[in-house]
Amino acid sequence: MKILPLLVLLMLETIVSAQHAVNLRIINGTKATDTHQWEWILSLRQHGEHICGASLIAPQWAVTAAHCISTDDGVVSASSLSVMAGSYNVYNQDTVISVKKVVRHPQYSDVSIDNDIALLKLASAVSDITPVTLAQDAPLLEHDPSFVAGWGNMSTTTLEFPSELMQVDLKIIDFAQCSQSYRTEEIYLTDNMFCAGYMDGSKDSCQGDSGGPLIIPQGNYYELAGIVSFGGSETQMCGAPNFPGIYTKVQNYVAWIERYTGILKRHISLEETLKTREFYTIDGTFSWHDFENVPNAFDWVYQMQNGRMFQLQGKQPTDNDVFGWKEVYGLTITPQWQMIYLGSDIDGDGTTKFDWIVLGMHTNAAYKLEGVRENGTFKYSDKLDIHYDATAQTVRFY
Ligand code: 4AZ
């Protein structure tokens, strides 16, 4: 958080050092050793230097804090940013990927720090790391356990940055109590934030952890529930008694994230899907469509053109009118991803008929999706890459 300039911070550190000389690490955390728990964590770099944490949420998308990528008059350029994936050592240079696009939340406020969330589209997909799951609707309850990790400052009194990822266990703090405390410093928390840590300030996230993940256990896995945002008192940014860390409430942004990344989390109508999504990640069972022997083999294929929906007509692939389109109206289909058909030379005449991408959904509905919505219509975009993970039975588009 850049609420306090570094110089002021350093001066304040001298003042508070007497009382808080004992705290070490993320603030009082431990080295993250479990190689699975944080495998999707990213170090966000600007001009090659670690500035914040981030989390991989789809092969080509990461989420971080808006304040990490903001300047006084806008958003930093994507070309200055990169992420490091797949290592707990922040100095590791093995997998550093450039950032291709930065999507800051349109309602981010650098005054209230409301909507402190941003998406990063990576220049290439990270295919060997399973992205973290986003927290859904479960309420965040006081005392619930959570964990934060990062390469941020480990000291409340000086600057002490680790090379290895640090983690700490925190508790969700009662929101009314936390906001009450912050109100005394004229900081007004919003419903897009929650507090985690300890009222005695014993464990906390700190400078450099921003943008990174707060996870909560959900059954036998973890969900991304928070993004390190800001916190602290006027005199102490981290580990300050009565001022636990503040986190962006990820569950409030699932729909927004879906819209940009296409990570499909909720059931929405096909039309809504087509209108609002730019890219798609579809999890589901994969089975080849038997187009050779099934009449109307392609009636599950839809495409959107100028806001109108068309269904592909035809019987056998050899049938001449297999490529005819019929307009359809008022489709509302709950997406249940069952099948993907990738375009190819389906009738064997040596030309590619479907050199665009088609998704199957449920038993008899599907649509073409190489579209980017612009001025209310779909326009064909760059070809998307498709990856099929046979073990996970998952197909990903990016
Ligand atoms: C920061 O400046 C920052 N104690 C991150 C977390 C907290 C405070 C400051 C929470 O990045």
Coordinates of all heavy atoms in Angstrom, one line a residue, residues 238-324:
C238 N 2.0 -2.5 9.6 CA 1.8 -3.9 9.8 C 2.0 -4.3 11.2 O 2.8 -3.8 12.0 CB 2.9 -4.7 9.0 SG 3.2 -3.9 7.4
G239 N 1.2 -5.3 11.6 CA 1.3 -5.8 13.0 C 0.9 -4.8 14.0 O 1.3 -4.9 15.2
A240 N 0.1 -3.9 13.7 CA -0.3 -2.9 14.6 C -1.5 -3.4 15.4 O -2.5 -3.8 14.8 CB -0.7 -1.6 14.0
P241 N -1.5 -3.3 16.8 CA -2.6 -3.8 17.6 C -3.9 -3.0 17.2 O -3.8 -1.8 16.9 CB -2.2 -3.5 19.0 CG -0.7 -3.4 19.0 CD -0.4 -2.9 17.6
N242 N -5.0 -3.6 17.1 CA -6.3 -3.1 16.7 C -6.5 -2.7 15.2 O -7.5 -2.2 14.8 CB -6.6 -1.8 17.6 CG -6.6 -2.1 19.0 OD1 -7.2 -3.1 19.4 ND2 -6.0 -1.3 19.8
F243 N -5.4 -2.9 14.5 CA -5.6 -2.6 13.0 C -5.1 -3.8 12.2 O -4.1 -3.8 11.6 CB -4.7 -1.4 12.7 CG -5.3 -0.2 13.3 CD1 -4.7 0.3 14.5 CD2 -6.4 0.5 12.8 CE1 -5.3 1.4 15.1 CE2 -6.9 1.6 13.4 CZ -6.3 2.1 14.6
P244 N -6.0 -4.9 12.2 CA -5.6 -6.0 11.4 C -5.6 -5.7 9.9 O -6.1 -4.7 9.5 CB -6.7 -7.0 11.7 CG -7.8 -6.3 12.3 CD -7.3 -5.0 12.9
G245 N -5.0 -6.6 9.1 CA -4.9 -6.4 7.7 C -6.2 -6.4 7.0 O -7.2 -7.0 7.5
I246 N -6.3 -5.6 5.9 CA -7.6 -5.5 5.2 C -7.4 -6.2 3.8 O -6.4 -6.0 3.2 CB -8.0 -4.1 5.0 CG1 -8.2 -3.5 6.4 CG2 -9.3 -3.9 4.2 CD1 -8.3 -2.0 6.4
Y247 N -8.4 -7.0 3.5 CA -8.3 -7.8 2.3 C -9.5 -7.5 1.4 O -10.6 -7.3 1.8 CB -8.3 -9.3 2.7 CG -7.1 -9.6 3.5 CD1 -7.1 -9.3 4.9 CD2 -5.9 -10.1 2.9 CE1 -5.9 -9.5 5.6 CE2 -4.8 -10.3 3.7 CZ -4.8 -10.0 5.0 OH -3.6 -10.2 5.8
T248 N -9.3 -7.6 0.1 CA -10.4 -7.4 -0.9 C -11.2 -8.7 -0.9 O -10.6 -9.8 -0.9 CB -9.8 -7.2 -2.3 OG1 -8.8 -6.2 -2.2 CG2 -10.9 -6.9 -3.3
K249 N -12.5 -8.6 -0.8 CA -13.4 -9.7 -0.7 C -13.6 -10.3 -2.1 O -14.5 -9.8 -2.8 CB -14.7 -9.3 0.0 CG -15.4 -10.4 0.6 CD -16.9 -10.0 1.0 CE -16.9 -9.3 2.3 NZ -18.3 -8.9 2.6
V250 N -12.9 -11.3 -2.4 CA -12.9 -11.9 -3.8 C -14.3 -12.3 -4.2 O -14.7 -12.2 -5.3 CB -11.9 -13.1 -3.8 CG1 -12.1 -13.9 -5.1 CG2 -10.5 -12.6 -3.7
Q251 N -15.1 -12.9 -3.3 CA -16.4 -13.4 -3.7 C -17.3 -12.3 -4.3 O -18.2 -12.6 -5.1 CB -17.1 -14.1 -2.5 CG -17.4 -13.2 -1.3 CD -18.1 -14.0 -0.2 OE1 -19.0 -13.5 0.4 NE2 -17.6 -15.2 0.2
N252 N -17.0 -11.1 -4.0 CA -17.8 -10.0 -4.6 C -17.5 -9.7 -6.0 O -18.1 -9.0 -6.7 CB -17.6 -8.7 -3.8 CG -18.3 -8.7 -2.4 OD1 -18.8 -9.7 -2.0 ND2 -18.3 -7.6 -1.7
Y253 N -16.4 -10.4 -6.5 CA -15.9 -10.0 -7.8 C -15.9 -11.2 -8.8 O -15.4 -11.2 -9.9 CB -14.5 -9.5 -7.7 CG -14.4 -8.2 -6.9 CD1 -14.2 -8.2 -5.6 CD2 -14.8 -7.0 -7.5 CE1 -14.2 -7.1 -4.8 CE2 -14.8 -5.8 -6.8 CZ -14.5 -5.9 -5.4 OH -14.6 -4.8 -4.7
V254 N -16.5 -12.3 -8.3 CA -16.5 -13.5 -9.2 C -17.1 -13.3 -10.5 O -16.6 -13.6 -11.6 CB -17.2 -14.7 -8.4 CG1 -17.3 -15.9 -9.3 CG2 -16.3 -15.1 -7.2
A255 N -18.3 -12.6 -10.5 CA -18.9 -12.3 -11.8 C -18.1 -11.4 -12.7 O -17.9 -11.6 -13.9 CB -20.3 -11.6 -11.6
W256 N -17.4 -10.4 -12.1 CA -16.6 -9.5 -12.8 C -15.4 -10.3 -13.4 O -15.0 -10.1 -14.6 CB -16.1 -8.4 -11.9 CG -15.2 -7.4 -12.6 CD1 -15.6 -6.4 -13.5 CD2 -13.8 -7.3 -12.4 NE1 -14.5 -5.7 -13.9 CE2 -13.4 -6.2 -13.2 CE3 -12.9 -8.0 -11.6 CZ2 -12.0 -5.8 -13.3 CZ3 -11.5 -7.6 -11.7 CH2 -11.1 -6.5 -12.5
I257 N -14.8 -11.1 -12.6 CA -13.7 -11.9 -13.1 C -14.1 -12.9 -14.2 O -13.4 -13.0 -15.2 CB -13.1 -12.7 -11.9 CG1 -12.5 -11.8 -10.9 CG2 -12.0 -13.7 -12.4 CD1 -12.0 -12.5 -9.6
E258 N -15.2 -13.5 -14.0 CA -15.7 -14.4 -15.1 C -15.9 -13.7 -16.4 O -15.6 -14.2 -17.5 CB -17.1 -14.9 -14.7 CG -17.2 -15.9 -13.7 CD -18.6 -16.3 -13.4 OE1 -19.5 -15.6 -13.8 OE2 -18.8 -17.3 -12.7
R259 N -16.3 -12.5 -16.4 CA -16.6 -11.7 -17.6 C -15.4 -11.5 -18.4 O -15.4 -11.6 -19.6 CB -17.3 -10.4 -17.2 CG -18.1 -9.8 -18.3 CD -18.8 -8.5 -17.9 NE -19.5 -8.7 -16.6 CZ -19.6 -7.8 -15.7 NH1 -19.0 -6.7 -15.8 NH2 -20.3 -8.0 -14.6
Y260 N -14.3 -11.3 -17.7 CA -13.0 -11.0 -18.4 C -12.2 -12.2 -18.8 O -11.5 -12.3 -19.8 CB -12.2 -10.0 -17.6 CG -12.7 -8.6 -17.8 CD1 -13.6 -8.1 -16.9 CD2 -12.3 -7.9 -18.9 CE1 -14.1 -6.8 -17.1 CE2 -12.8 -6.6 -19.1 CZ -13.7 -6.1 -18.2 OH -14.2 -4.9 -18.4
T261 N -12.3 -13.2 -17.9 CA -11.4 -14.3 -18.1 C -12.1 -15.5 -18.7 O -11.5 -16.4 -19.2 CB -10.8 -14.8 -16.7 OG1 -11.9 -15.3 -15.9 CG2 -10.1 -13.7 -16.0
G262 N -13.5 -15.5 -18.5 CA -14.2 -16.7 -19.0 C -14.1 -17.9 -18.1 O -14.5 -19.0 -18.5
I263 N -13.6 -17.7 -16.9 CA -13.6 -18.9 -16.0 C -15.0 -19.0 -15.6 O -15.6 -18.2 -15.0 CB -12.8 -18.6 -14.7 CG1 -11.4 -18.1 -15.1 CG2 -12.7 -19.9 -13.9 CD1 -10.7 -17.6 -13.8
L264 N -15.6 -20.1 -16.0 CA -17.0 -20.3 -15.8 C -17.3 -20.8 -14.4 O -16.9 -21.9 -14.0 CB -17.6 -21.2 -16.8 CG -19.1 -21.2 -16.8 CD1 -19.6 -19.8 -17.4 CD2 -19.6 -22.3 -17.6
K265 N -17.9 -20.0 -13.5 CA -18.2 -20.4 -12.2 C -19.7 -20.6 -11.9 O -20.0 -21.4 -11.0 CB -17.6 -19.4 -11.2 CG -16.1 -19.3 -11.2 CD -15.5 -20.5 -10.6 CE -14.0 -20.4 -10.6 NZ -13.4 -21.7 -10.3
R266 N -20.5 -19.8 -12.5 CA -21.9 -19.9 -12.1 C -22.7 -20.3 -13.4 O -22.2 -20.1 -14.5 CB -22.4 -18.6 -11.6 CG -21.6 -18.1 -10.4 CD -21.9 -16.7 -10.3 NE -21.7 -16.0 -11.5 CZ -22.3 -14.9 -12.0 NH1 -23.2 -14.4 -11.2 NH2 -22.0 -14.4 -13.1
H267 N -23.9 -20.7 -13.1 CA -24.8 -21.0 -14.3 C -25.5 -19.7 -14.7 O -26.2 -19.1 -14.0 CB -25.8 -22.0 -13.9 CG -25.2 -23.4 -13.7 ND1 -25.9 -24.5 -13.3 CD2 -23.9 -23.8 -13.9 CE1 -25.1 -25.5 -13.3 NE2 -23.9 -25.1 -13.6
I268 N -25.2 -19.3 -15.9 CA -25.9 -18.2 -16.5 C -26.4 -18.6 -17.8 O -26.0 -19.6 -18.4 CB -25.1 -16.9 -16.5 CG1 -23.8 -17.1 -17.3 CG2 -24.7 -16.4 -15.1 CD1 -23.1 -15.8 -17.6
S269 N -27.3 -17.8 -18.4 CA -27.8 -18.2 -19.7 C -26.8 -18.1 -20.8 O -25.8 -17.4 -20.7 CB -29.0 -17.3 -20.0 OG -28.5 -16.1 -20.5
L270 N -27.0 -18.9 -21.8 CA -26.1 -18.9 -22.9 C -26.0 -17.6 -23.5 O -24.9 -17.1 -23.9 CB -26.6 -19.9 -24.0 CG -25.8 -20.0 -25.2 CD1 -24.4 -20.5 -24.9 CD2 -26.4 -21.0 -26.2
E271 N -27.1 -16.9 -23.7 CA -27.1 -15.5 -24.3 C -26.2 -14.6 -23.5 O -25.4 -13.8 -24.0 CB -28.5 -15.0 -24.4 CG -29.1 -15.5 -25.7 CD -30.6 -15.3 -25.7 OE1 -31.2 -15.2 -24.6 OE2 -31.1 -15.1 -26.8
E272 N -26.4 -14.6 -22.1 CA -25.6 -13.8 -21.3 C -24.1 -14.1 -21.4 O -23.3 -13.3 -21.5 CB -26.1 -13.9 -19.8 CG -25.4 -12.9 -18.9 CD -25.7 -13.2 -17.4 OE1 -26.7 -13.9 -17.1 OE2 -24.9 -12.7 -16.6
T273 N -23.9 -15.4 -21.5 CA -22.5 -15.9 -21.6 C -21.9 -15.3 -22.9 O -20.8 -14.8 -22.9 CB -22.5 -17.5 -21.8 OG1 -23.2 -18.0 -20.6 CG2 -21.1 -18.0 -21.8
L274 N -22.6 -15.5 -24.0 CA -22.1 -15.0 -25.3 C -21.9 -13.5 -25.3 O -20.9 -13.0 -25.9 CB -23.0 -15.4 -26.4 CG -22.9 -16.9 -26.8 CD1 -24.0 -17.3 -27.7 CD2 -21.5 -17.2 -27.4
K275 N -22.8 -12.8 -24.6 CA -22.7 -11.4 -24.7 C -21.6 -10.8 -23.9 O -21.0 -9.7 -24.2 CB -24.0 -10.7 -24.2 CG -25.0 -10.8 -25.3 CD -26.3 -10.1 -24.8 CE -27.4 -10.4 -25.8 NZ -28.7 -10.7 -25.1
T276 N -21.2 -11.5 -22.8 CA -20.3 -10.8 -21.9 C -18.9 -11.4 -21.8 O -18.1 -10.8 -21.3 CB -20.9 -10.8 -20.4 OG1 -21.2 -12.2 -20.1 CG2 -22.2 -10.0 -20.3
R277 N -18.8 -12.6 -22.4 CA -17.5 -13.2 -22.2 C -16.5 -12.9 -23.3 O -16.9 -12.9 -24.5 CB -17.6 -14.7 -22.0 CG -18.0 -15.0 -20.6 CD -18.7 -16.3 -20.6 NE -19.6 -16.2 -19.4 CZ -19.1 -16.5 -18.2 NH1 -17.9 -17.0 -18.1 NH2 -19.9 -16.4 -17.2
E278 N -15.3 -12.8 -23.0 CA -14.3 -12.6 -24.0 C -13.5 -13.9 -24.2 O -13.3 -14.4 -25.3 CB -13.4 -11.5 -23.6 CG -12.5 -11.1 -24.7 CD -11.5 -10.0 -24.3 OE1 -11.9 -9.3 -23.3 OE2 -10.5 -9.9 -24.9
F279 N -13.2 -14.6 -23.1 CA -12.4 -15.8 -23.2 C -13.1 -16.8 -22.2 O -13.8 -16.5 -21.3 CB -11.0 -15.6 -22.8 CG -10.3 -14.7 -23.8 CD1 -10.2 -13.3 -23.5 CD2 -9.8 -15.2 -25.0 CE1 -9.6 -12.5 -24.5 CE2 -9.2 -14.4 -25.9 CZ -9.1 -13.0 -25.7
Y280 N -12.8 -18.1 -22.5 CA -13.6 -19.1 -21.8 C -12.6 -20.2 -21.3 O -11.7 -20.6 -21.9 CB -14.5 -19.8 -22.8 CG -15.5 -18.8 -23.4 CD1 -15.2 -17.9 -24.3 CD2 -16.8 -18.9 -22.9 CE1 -16.1 -17.0 -24.8 CE2 -17.8 -18.0 -23.4 CZ -17.4 -17.1 -24.3 OH -18.3 -16.2 -24.8
T281 N -12.9 -20.6 -20.1 CA -12.3 -21.8 -19.5 C -13.5 -22.7 -19.1 O -14.3 -22.3 -18.3 CB -11.5 -21.5 -18.3 OG1 -10.5 -20.6 -18.7 CG2 -10.8 -22.7 -17.7
I282 N -13.5 -23.8 -19.7 CA -14.6 -24.7 -19.5 C -14.2 -26.0 -18.8 O -13.3 -26.7 -19.4 CB -15.3 -25.1 -20.8 CG1 -15.6 -23.9 -21.7 CG2 -16.6 -25.9 -20.6 CD1 -16.5 -22.9 -21.2
D283 N -14.7 -26.3 -17.7 CA -14.4 -27.5 -17.0 C -15.5 -28.5 -17.3 O -16.7 -28.1 -17.1 CB -14.2 -27.4 -15.5 CG -13.0 -26.5 -15.2 OD1 -12.1 -26.4 -16.1 OD2 -12.9 -26.0 -14.1
G284 N -15.2 -29.7 -17.6 CA -16.3 -30.6 -17.8 C -15.8 -31.9 -18.4 O -14.6 -32.1 -18.6
T285 N -16.7 -32.8 -18.6 CA -16.4 -34.1 -19.1 C -16.3 -34.0 -20.7 O -17.1 -33.4 -21.3 CB -17.4 -35.2 -18.8 OG1 -17.7 -35.0 -17.4 CG2 -16.9 -36.6 -19.0
F286 N -15.2 -34.6 -21.2 CA -15.0 -34.5 -22.6 C -15.3 -35.8 -23.3 O -14.9 -36.9 -22.8 CB -13.5 -34.2 -22.7 CG -13.0 -34.0 -24.1 CD1 -12.9 -32.8 -24.7 CD2 -12.7 -35.1 -24.9 CE1 -12.5 -32.6 -26.0 CE2 -12.3 -34.9 -26.2 CZ -12.2 -33.7 -26.8
S287 N -16.1 -35.8 -24.3 CA -16.3 -37.0 -25.1 C -16.6 -36.5 -26.5 O -17.2 -35.5 -26.8 CB -17.5 -37.8 -24.6 OG -18.7 -37.1 -24.8
W288 N -16.0 -37.2 -27.5 CA -16.2 -36.8 -28.9 C -17.6 -37.0 -29.3 O -18.3 -37.9 -28.9 CB -15.3 -37.7 -29.8 CG -13.8 -37.4 -29.5 CD1 -12.9 -38.1 -28.9 CD2 -13.2 -36.2 -30.0 NE1 -11.7 -37.5 -28.8 CE2 -11.8 -36.3 -29.5 CE3 -13.5 -35.1 -30.7 CZ2 -10.9 -35.3 -29.7 CZ3 -12.6 -34.1 -30.9 CH2 -11.3 -34.2 -30.5
H289 N -18.1 -36.0 -30.0 CA -19.4 -36.1 -30.6 C -19.4 -37.0 -31.8 O -18.5 -37.0 -32.6 CB -19.8 -34.7 -31.0 CG -21.3 -34.6 -31.3 ND1 -22.2 -34.3 -30.3 CD2 -22.0 -34.9 -32.4 CE1 -23.4 -34.3 -30.8 NE2 -23.3 -34.6 -32.1
D290 N -20.3 -37.9 -31.8 CA -20.4 -38.9 -32.9 C -21.1 -38.3 -34.1 O -22.2 -38.5 -34.4 CB -21.2 -40.1 -32.4 CG -21.2 -41.2 -33.5 OD1 -20.6 -41.0 -34.5 OD2 -21.9 -42.2 -33.2
F291 N -20.3 -37.4 -34.8 CA -21.0 -36.7 -35.9 C -21.2 -37.5 -37.1 O -21.9 -37.2 -38.0 CB -20.3 -35.4 -36.2 CG -18.8 -35.6 -36.6 CD1 -18.5 -35.9 -37.9 CD2 -17.8 -35.4 -35.6 CE1 -17.2 -36.1 -38.2 CE2 -16.5 -35.5 -36.0 CZ -16.2 -35.9 -37.3
E292 N -20.5 -38.7 -37.2 CA -20.6 -39.5 -38.5 C -22.0 -40.2 -38.6 O -22.5 -40.3 -39.6 CB -19.6 -40.6 -38.5 CG -18.2 -40.1 -38.2 CD -17.2 -40.0 -39.3 OE1 -17.6 -39.5 -40.4 OE2 -16.1 -40.5 -39.2
N293 N -22.5 -40.6 -37.4 CA -23.6 -41.5 -37.5 C -24.9 -40.9 -36.9 O -25.9 -41.5 -36.9 CB -23.3 -42.8 -36.7 CG -22.1 -43.5 -37.3 OD1 -22.1 -43.7 -38.5 ND2 -21.1 -43.7 -36.5
V294 N -24.8 -39.7 -36.4 CA -26.0 -39.1 -35.8 C -26.6 -38.1 -36.7 O -25.9 -37.1 -37.2 CB -25.6 -38.4 -34.5 CG1 -26.8 -37.8 -33.8 CG2 -24.9 -39.4 -33.6
P295 N -27.9 -38.2 -37.0 CA -28.5 -37.2 -37.8 C -28.5 -35.9 -37.0 O -28.5 -35.9 -35.8 CB -30.0 -37.8 -38.0 CG -29.9 -39.2 -37.5 CD -28.8 -39.3 -36.6
N296 N -28.6 -34.8 -37.7 CA -28.6 -33.5 -37.1 C -27.3 -33.4 -36.2 O -27.4 -32.8 -35.1 CB -29.8 -33.2 -36.3 CG -31.1 -33.3 -37.2 OD1 -31.1 -32.8 -38.3 ND2 -32.1 -34.0 -36.7
A297 N -26.3 -33.9 -36.7 CA -25.1 -34.0 -35.8 C -24.6 -32.7 -35.3 O -24.0 -32.6 -34.3 CB -24.0 -34.7 -36.6
F298 N -25.0 -31.6 -36.0 CA -24.4 -30.3 -35.7 C -25.4 -29.4 -35.1 O -25.2 -28.2 -35.0 CB -23.7 -29.7 -36.9 CG -22.6 -30.5 -37.3 CD1 -22.6 -31.3 -38.4 CD2 -21.4 -30.4 -36.6 CE1 -21.6 -32.1 -38.8 CE2 -20.3 -31.2 -37.0 CZ -20.4 -32.0 -38.1
D299 N -26.6 -29.9 -34.7 CA -27.6 -29.0 -34.1 C -27.2 -28.5 -32.8 O -27.8 -27.6 -32.2 CB -29.0 -29.6 -34.1 CG -29.1 -30.8 -33.2 OD1 -28.1 -31.2 -32.6 OD2 -30.2 -31.3 -33.1
W300 N -26.1 -28.9 -32.2 CA -25.6 -28.4 -31.0 C -24.6 -27.3 -31.2 O -24.1 -26.7 -30.3 CB -24.9 -29.5 -30.2 CG -23.9 -30.3 -31.0 CD1 -24.1 -31.4 -31.7 CD2 -22.5 -30.0 -31.2 NE1 -23.0 -31.8 -32.4 CE2 -22.0 -31.0 -32.1 CE3 -21.7 -29.0 -30.7 CZ2 -20.7 -31.0 -32.5 CZ3 -20.3 -29.0 -31.1 CH2 -19.8 -30.0 -32.0
V301 N -24.4 -26.9 -32.5 CA -23.5 -25.8 -32.8 C -24.2 -24.5 -33.0 O -25.1 -24.5 -33.8 CB -22.6 -26.2 -34.0 CG1 -21.7 -25.0 -34.3 CG2 -21.9 -27.5 -33.8
Y302 N -23.9 -23.6 -32.2 CA -24.5 -22.3 -32.4 C -23.5 -21.2 -32.7 O -22.3 -21.4 -32.3 CB -25.3 -21.8 -31.1 CG -26.5 -22.7 -30.8 CD1 -26.4 -23.9 -30.2 CD2 -27.7 -22.2 -31.2 CE1 -27.5 -24.7 -29.9 CE2 -28.8 -23.0 -31.0 CZ -28.7 -24.2 -30.3 OH -29.8 -25.0 -30.1
Q303 N -23.8 -20.2 -33.3 CA -22.9 -19.1 -33.4 C -23.7 -17.8 -33.3 O -24.9 -17.7 -33.5 CB -22.2 -19.1 -34.8 CG -23.0 -18.7 -36.0 CD -22.2 -18.2 -37.1 OE1 -21.2 -17.6 -36.9 NE2 -22.6 -18.6 -38.3
M304 N -23.0 -16.8 -32.9 CA -23.6 -15.5 -32.7 C -23.1 -14.6 -33.7 O -21.9 -14.5 -33.9 CB -23.2 -15.0 -31.3 CG -23.9 -13.8 -30.9 SD -25.2 -14.2 -29.8 CE -25.3 -12.7 -28.9
Q305 N -24.0 -13.9 -34.4 CA -23.6 -12.9 -35.4 C -24.4 -11.7 -35.3 O -25.6 -11.8 -35.3 CB -23.7 -13.5 -36.8 CG -22.4 -14.0 -37.4 CD -22.6 -14.5 -38.8 OE1 -23.7 -14.2 -39.4 NE2 -21.7 -15.3 -39.3
N306 N -23.8 -10.5 -35.1 CA -24.5 -9.3 -35.0 C -25.6 -9.4 -33.9 O -26.7 -8.9 -34.1 CB -25.1 -8.8 -36.3 CG -24.0 -8.7 -37.3 OD1 -22.9 -8.2 -37.0 ND2 -24.3 -9.1 -38.6
G307 N -25.3 -10.1 -32.9 CA -26.3 -10.2 -31.8 C -27.4 -11.2 -32.0 O -28.3 -11.4 -31.2
R308 N -27.3 -11.9 -33.2 CA -28.4 -12.9 -33.5 C -27.7 -14.3 -33.4 O -26.6 -14.5 -33.7 CB -28.9 -12.7 -34.9 CG -29.7 -11.4 -35.0 CD -29.8 -10.9 -36.4 NE -30.6 -11.8 -37.2 CZ -30.6 -11.7 -38.6 NH1 -29.8 -10.8 -39.2 NH2 -31.3 -12.5 -39.3
M309 N -28.5 -15.2 -33.0 CA -28.1 -16.6 -32.7 C -28.5 -17.5 -33.9 O -29.6 -17.5 -34.3 CB -28.7 -17.2 -31.5 CG -28.1 -16.8 -30.3 SD -26.5 -17.6 -30.0 CE -27.0 -18.4 -28.6
F310 N -27.5 -18.3 -34.4 CA -27.8 -19.2 -35.4 C -27.4 -20.6 -35.0 O -26.4 -20.8 -34.4 CB -27.0 -18.8 -36.7 CG -27.4 -17.5 -37.2 CD1 -26.8 -16.3 -36.7 CD2 -28.4 -17.4 -38.2 CE1 -27.2 -15.1 -37.2 CE2 -28.8 -16.1 -38.6 CZ -28.2 -14.9 -38.2
Q311 N -28.2 -21.6 -35.5 CA -28.0 -23.0 -35.2 C -27.5 -23.7 -36.5 O -28.1 -23.4 -37.5 CB -29.2 -23.6 -34.7 CG -29.1 -25.1 -34.2 CD -30.4 -25.7 -33.8 OE1 -31.4 -25.4 -34.5 NE2 -30.4 -26.5 -32.8
L312 N -26.5 -24.4 -36.3 CA -26.0 -25.1 -37.5 C -26.9 -26.3 -37.9 O -27.3 -27.1 -37.0 CB -24.6 -25.7 -37.2 CG -23.8 -26.2 -38.4 CD1 -23.7 -25.2 -39.5 CD2 -22.4 -26.6 -37.9
Q313 N -27.3 -26.4 -39.1 CA -28.2 -27.4 -39.6 C -27.5 -28.5 -40.4 O -26.4 -28.3 -40.8 CB -29.3 -26.8 -40.5 CG -30.0 -25.7 -39.9 CD -30.9 -26.2 -38.8 OE1 -31.9 -26.9 -39.0 NE2 -30.6 -25.8 -37.6
G314 N -28.2 -29.6 -40.6 CA -27.6 -30.6 -41.4 C -27.6 -32.0 -40.8 O -27.9 -32.1 -39.6
K315 N -27.4 -33.0 -41.6 CA -27.5 -34.4 -41.1 C -26.1 -35.0 -41.0 O -25.3 -34.8 -40.1 CB -28.4 -35.2 -42.0 CG -29.8 -34.7 -42.1 CD -30.7 -35.6 -42.9 CE -31.9 -35.0 -43.4 NZ -31.7 -34.3 -44.7
Q316 N -25.7 -35.7 -42.1 CA -24.4 -36.3 -42.1 C -23.4 -35.3 -42.5 O -23.7 -34.3 -43.3 CB -24.4 -37.4 -43.1 CG -25.5 -38.4 -42.9 CD -25.2 -39.4 -41.8 OE1 -24.0 -39.8 -41.7 NE2 -26.1 -39.8 -41.1
P317 N -22.2 -35.5 -42.2 CA -21.1 -34.5 -42.6 C -21.0 -34.4 -44.1 O -20.5 -33.4 -44.6 CB -19.8 -35.1 -42.0 CG -20.3 -36.0 -40.9 CD -21.7 -36.5 -41.3
T318 N -21.4 -35.4 -44.8 CA -21.3 -35.4 -46.2 C -22.5 -34.6 -46.9 O -22.4 -34.2 -48.0 CB -21.3 -36.8 -46.8 OG1 -22.4 -37.5 -46.2 CG2 -20.0 -37.5 -46.6
D319 N -23.5 -34.4 -46.1 CA -24.7 -33.7 -46.6 C -24.3 -32.3 -47.0 O -23.6 -31.6 -46.3 CB -25.7 -33.7 -45.5 CG -27.1 -33.3 -46.1 OD1 -27.2 -32.2 -46.7 OD2 -28.0 -34.0 -45.8
N320 N -24.8 -31.9 -48.2 CA -24.4 -30.6 -48.7 C -24.8 -29.4 -47.8 O -24.1 -28.4 -47.7 CB -25.0 -30.3 -50.1 CG -24.1 -31.0 -51.1 OD1 -22.9 -31.3 -50.8 ND2 -24.6 -31.2 -52.3
D321 N -26.0 -29.6 -47.1 CA -26.4 -28.4 -46.4 C -26.0 -28.5 -44.9 O -26.6 -27.9 -44.0 CB -28.0 -28.2 -46.5 CG -28.8 -29.4 -45.9 OD1 -28.2 -30.2 -45.2 OD2 -30.0 -29.4 -46.1
V322 N -25.0 -29.3 -44.7 CA -24.5 -29.4 -43.3 C -24.0 -28.1 -42.7 O -24.1 -27.9 -41.5 CB -23.4 -30.5 -43.2 CG1 -22.1 -30.0 -43.9 CG2 -23.1 -30.8 -41.8
F323 N -23.7 -27.2 -43.6 CA -23.2 -25.9 -43.1 C -24.3 -24.8 -43.1 O -23.9 -23.6 -43.0 CB -22.0 -25.4 -43.9 CG -20.9 -26.5 -43.9 CD1 -20.4 -27.0 -45.1 CD2 -20.4 -26.9 -42.7 CE1 -19.4 -28.0 -45.0 CE2 -19.4 -27.9 -42.6 CZ -18.9 -28.4 -43.8
G324 N -25.5 -25.2 -43.3 CA -26.5 -24.2 -43.2 C -26.8 -23.7 -41.8 O -26.8 -24.5 -40.9

